[in-house]
Amino acid sequence: MLIVMKSGATDDDIARVVEVVESLGMKAHPMPGANRTAIGITGNTTAIDSSPFADLTGVAECVRVTKPYKLVSRELRPDKSVITVGDATIGGDEFAIIAGVCAVESREQTMSTARVVAEQGCKFFRGGAFKPRTSPYAFQGLAEEGLKILRDVREEFGLMIVSEAIDEPALDLVEKYADVIQIGTRNMQNFSLLRRAGQARKPVLLKRGMASTIEEFLLAAEYIMSEGNYNVILCERGVRTFANHTRFTLDLSLIPAVQRISHLPIIVDPSHSTGTREKVIPLSRAGAAVGADGLLVDVHPHPEQALCDGPQALLFDMFKEMVGEVRAIAKIVRS
Ligand code: PEP
Ligand code: MN
């Protein structure tokens, strides 16, 4: 159920509704909007009776939610969510470019890439310290040492750090050092990890499972939000198809489909989806054109020496070209 408050409802009115919801053993999720606050209710095992709320001061209506997802939906929050990270935003007026190394390999590799990302006026830096690798023999990341390098990137360049947590112990560390916690495609349905991310007090970048439907994707975001963390950024990173000209098939149709249902921002990853740098610029352009809120892109000073995902990493010059192009496209689409 969703309780829609009147536009003039006071903080006390909202607090009273929350109190009544909690006294019934359920959880209340107030979502302030431009014109009104809506309060989502979770934790019920059967249909909720609206009578305890209907007559409370400030309540406009009690709406039964028919979809399996509640907190992610536009029914709860008609306006788009804008996620604020330091002085940067995702989902607002600015097109967010989250760029950086696939894996933090060394201080030099990370710092030189961060310098280029900052020089282009981007506000976010990505870098994996914990890498989910298909082979157990492949480079697994520098762990806490890598996170310390990322912390130094923020110190030096003022970039907001996005880094992946592959399990609960990693999440504790990523939450400590980074600004945004990334949950990768392979963990999209790791429900205990999603709940832990929901308890974190930092925004979460949730990548779509490589074979997930839109419903599964949104319900994964719902897991995070149901724990009280409403700062979720969705990311389309390609799905597995029969196509063998690309690593995964970037499903750009997901962007408008999600935007119709959900208030959450959604970005596009042209790097992990295509797997080859020649395709990254065209699909970055496409991501901006389709109305995504931003991009997640791999860059590397020497891709041929990269310990992870070298073939998809943009060279510095390609990255600069890409930034100029997508900004021009995003400006048209978003004006
Ligand atoms: C990544 O962004 O580094 C990554 C591993 O991506 P994905 O989870 O989409 O494969
Ligand atoms: Mn990668």
Side-chain angles (χ1 to χ4, degrees):
M1 174 157 329
L2 163 62
I3 300 175
V4 181
M5 302 300 290
K6 292 177 182 159
S7 56
T10 65
D11 289 350
D12 284 349
D13 296 339
I14 295 165
R16 177 72 192 130
V17 174
V18 170
E19 200 178 283
V20 174
V21 171
E22 285 172 357
S23 73
L24 294 167
M26 298 177 291
K27 197 161 174 173
H29 303 264
M31 294 267 171
N35 303 313
R36 47 87 160 164
T37 290
I39 302 170
I41 304 179
T42 60
N44 53 302
T45 44
T46 53
I48 303 169
D49 172 15
S50 64
S51 52
F53 317 107
D55 294 330
L56 294 176
T57 321
V59 171
E61 57 174 334
C62 300
V63 183
R64 194 159 296 286
V65 180
T66 49
K67 299 282 189 312
Y69 31 78
K70 305 177 185 182
L71 306 176
V72 301
S73 81
R74 282 207 186 253
E75 279 174 290
L76 183 63
R77 176 180 253 186
D79 325 304
K80 269 185 79 169
S81 282
V82 179
I83 313 295
T84 303
V85 193
D87 66 349
T89 57
I90 304 180
D93 294 339
E94 237 179 311
F95 185 74
I97 299 176
I98 305 171
V101 293
C102 174
V104 176
E105 299 166 8
S106 69
R107 182 169 291 274
E108 211 284 317
Q109 165 247 14
T110 306
M111 286 291 171
S112 63
T113 307
R115 182 174 305 281
V116 174
V117 170
E119 276 168 6
Q120 296 311 302
C122 301
K123 297 197 170 152
F124 295 90
F125 187 78
R126 62 146 289 148
F130 297 94
K131 296 306 302 177
R133 303 305 299 275
T134 302
S135 165
Y137 309 120
F139 176 62
Q140 306 281 311
L142 296 181
E144 189 165 8
E145 188 193 333
L147 289 172
K148 287 181 179 164
I149 296 173
L150 291 169
R151 176 195 58 193
D152 295 348
V153 164
R154 179 180 47 236
E155 285 288 300
E156 176 127 2
F157 301 105
L159 294 164
M160 295 292 110
I161 303 300
V162 180
S163 197
E164 178 168 356
I166 53 169
D167 53 24
E168 275 98 332
L171 201 146
D172 291 343
L173 286 168
V174 171
E175 184 181 16
K176 180 171 161 199
Y177 289 100
D179 301 292
V180 177
I181 302 161
Q182 180 173 319
I183 303 286
T185 191
R186 293 159 187 83
N187 271 315
M188 192 207 81
Q189 286 193 314
N190 179 341
F191 301 119
S192 57
L193 188 62
L194 295 175
R195 283 200 193 280
R196 171 65 187 88
Q199 289 149 14
R201 296 281 72 92
K202 293 207 167 148
V204 177
L205 176 77
L206 177 67
K207 299 187 93 174
R208 180 187 184 184
M210 61 179 82
S212 297
T213 63
I214 185 170
E215 192 159 286
E216 289 162 343
F217 190 23
L218 292 175
L219 284 171
E222 187 83 22
Y223 259 92
I224 299 168
M225 296 179 79
S226 71
E227 293 293 321
N229 187 348
Y230 308 124
N231 293 316
V232 179
I233 303 136
L234 303 171
C235 178
E236 160 58 27
R237 53 77 69 206
V239 288
R240 187 71 89 194
T241 68
F242 55 84
N244 59 4
H245 59 276
T246 178
R247 191 176 175 202
F248 294 92
T249 297
L250 185 63
D251 177 13
L252 289 169
S253 70
L254 182 76
I255 302 351
V258 161
Q259 287 168 339
R260 199 174 60 81
I261 301 171
S262 179
H263 54 86
L264 294 175
I266 180 161
I267 66 169
V268 163
D269 179 346
S271 303
H272 292 84
S273 47
T274 63
T276 42
R277 75 177 60 81
E278 291 68 32
K279 297 192 186 79
V280 171
I281 295 185
L283 286 169
S284 299
R285 292 191 209 114
V290 82
D293 294 295
L295 297 176
L296 184 79
V297 186
D298 279 2
V299 186
H300 199 287
H302 307 289
E304 69 291 351
Q305 295 167 16
L307 299 178
C308 186
D309 287 348
Q312 74 196 26
L314 292 179
L315 297 154
F316 289 169
D317 283 347
M318 293 175 88
F319 172 65
K320 291 177 194 169
E321 180 191 330
M322 185 277 282
V323 169
E325 292 183 6
V326 299
R327 285 209 178 117
I329 296 168
K331 196 168 163 193
I332 296 169
V333 174
R334 298 161 87 78
S335 62

